[in-house]
Amino acid sequence: MNVEGCRHGSKSGAPTFEKKDLHAAVAGLKGAVSFHASLRDYTSFKIGGPADVLVEPADVDDVCRLVRQASGRKVPWFVLGGTNLLVRDGGVRGIVVSLAKLRAIKEEPGSVLYAEGGVGMPTLIGHAIRRSLAGLEWAAGIPGTVAGCVVMNAGTRLGEMKDSVKGVRLVNTKGGIIDLPFAEIPFSYRRAKLPRGIVVGVWLQLKQGVRTEIERIVKDYLHYRRDTQPLAMPSAGCVFKNPPKDSAGRLIEAVGLKGARIGDAEVSTKHANFVVNRGEARAQDVLDLIGKVKRAVKRQAGVSLELELKIVGEA
Ligand code: EPU
């Protein structure tokens, strides 16, 4: 799950910045900066080449400074959520931003929680349970960050992010902070149309509930997911969006591709809308397998599956 940054480059699409621009873009930041960082360990798929530079801003001011400096030097940046994402084997040019250090949760009057962008959904749900706040049960088992879940309007059969969002705090491409109320954010299936920028915080409107009841729903749902999804293996969650009134997993199973393999990439034998990494899968193996699945479902079932998974980086 991730936010696309501004992309500057030549007509061929290749970035035009130089090494000195890259260094200038990350100069003076308080957070962690690592050059040529492998993204494999930052993704739930455990796949992916290196980032030119990986940055973990220390706080929102650091995010603003980074975006200002990067925009000024025309260095592209991209926010890594890491869970609904496939990073290609050649890695990502420019700056990859991890919001891992933005993890504060604040309570506001009227059953509202404000979570910084890097807060993980499991942490947020745990917090809501302890405060007897209901509304996020649908997200039990979703591993992504709250920012990633907003950007892609993450959802399950029980609900979706837009049901709880009260507002979003975003650092725009000029490095300024803007707060957007829910009414100004067009949400659709697996998408929130936000201005270009980095989501650094989200206000969630929850409601007072009964702790034991919230906990029971979360536990039941986690069990359901553990029983039906390959949560113990590296994956990026569901690969395809569900077509209207159908399930991508059902369709893929129906065309006989459960368990199909290319290299170490496998269509999960537990849930066919997951591709799992059996160890050393390359991004190219996953892409080839996805292509095979798409073609088979189109040919045999007449349905064009659309990707939910986001693909970034160079081959
Ligand atoms: N099914 C099959 N074969 C399979 C998988 C599913 O026949 O291999 C059938 C099931 O038997 C069931 C139907 O398809 O009758 C629906 O399956 P399931 O309840 O697992 O839900 P889903 O539609 O496949 C959606 C979300 C999941 C979410 C689950 C549970 C999408 C694309 N998928 O899956 O989200 O966890 O509901 O709420 O919206 C994700 O977004 O990464 C994700 C995994």
Side-chain angles (χ1 to χ4, degrees), residues 30-223:
K30 290 172 280 179
V33 173
S34 33
F35 288 88
H36 208 69
S38 168
L39 294 177
R40 193 175 187 269
D41 295 332
Y42 288 84
T43 68
S44 59
F45 231 148
K46 300 284 171 246
I47 294 175
D52 283 343
V53 59
L54 178 69
V55 179
E56 286 182 40
D59 52 27
V60 175
D61 282 348
D62 232 15
V63 175
C64 296
R65 179 174 183 153
L66 172 66
V67 172
R68 259 196 315 271
Q69 293 181 170
S71 298
R73 299 274 171 166
K74 299 206 181 325
V75 178
W77 47 266
F78 155 77
V79 182
L80 183 76
T83 51
N84 209 238
L85 179 74
L86 177 65
V87 177
R88 286 198 180 94
D89 301 308
V92 181
R93 300 294 71 82
I95 301 165
V96 173
V97 186
S98 160
L99 297 179
K101 292 194 198 299
L102 267 62
R103 49 188 356 148
I105 302 175
K106 288 183 204 141
E107 283 169 50
E108 297 192 358
S111 305
V112 173
L113 289 182
Y114 175 76
E116 285 192 316
V119 171
M121 285 306 278
T123 307
L124 190 58
I125 291 170
H127 191 100
I129 289 174
R130 285 192 297 281
R131 297 293 187 276
S132 304
L133 292 171
L136 291 175
E137 297 85 321
W138 61 269
I142 289 188
T145 60
V146 68
C149 283
V150 167
V151 169
M152 64 167 297
N153 187 22
T156 64
R157 289 188 179 273
L158 292 189
E160 56 187 340
M161 206 61 197
K162 83 175 209 313
D163 304 338
S164 314
V165 172
K166 183 167 187 270
V168 167
R169 174 163 289 173
L170 182 124
V171 172
N172 66 16
T173 53
K174 293 190 170 71
I177 296 174
I178 49 173
D179 291 343
L180 292 163
F182 171 77
E184 288 177 24
I185 309 170
F187 282 97
S188 54
Y189 179 60
R190 300 298 167 263
R191 178 150 194 249
K193 200 160 180 281
L194 289 161
R196 280 196 188 279
I198 297 182
V199 172
V200 291
V202 181
W203 285 271
L204 296 149
Q205 179 64 65
L206 305 177
K207 49 188 179 299
Q208 211 57 42
V210 177
R211 178 174 173 158
T212 47
E213 180 62 8
I214 303 168
E215 227 161 356
R216 186 189 59 74
I217 298 171
V218 166
K219 277 197 181 132
D220 285 356
Y221 201 42
L222 276 175
H223 280 131

Side-chain angles (χ1 to χ4, degrees), residues 156-157 221 224-225 229 238 242 247 253 258 271-272 308:
T156 64
R157 289 188 179 273
Y221 201 42
Y224 173 74
R225 285 177 52 113
Q229 300 179 0
C238 284
N242 277 338
S247 156
E253 178 166 356
K258 233 174 175 171
H271 192 301
E308 172 168 317

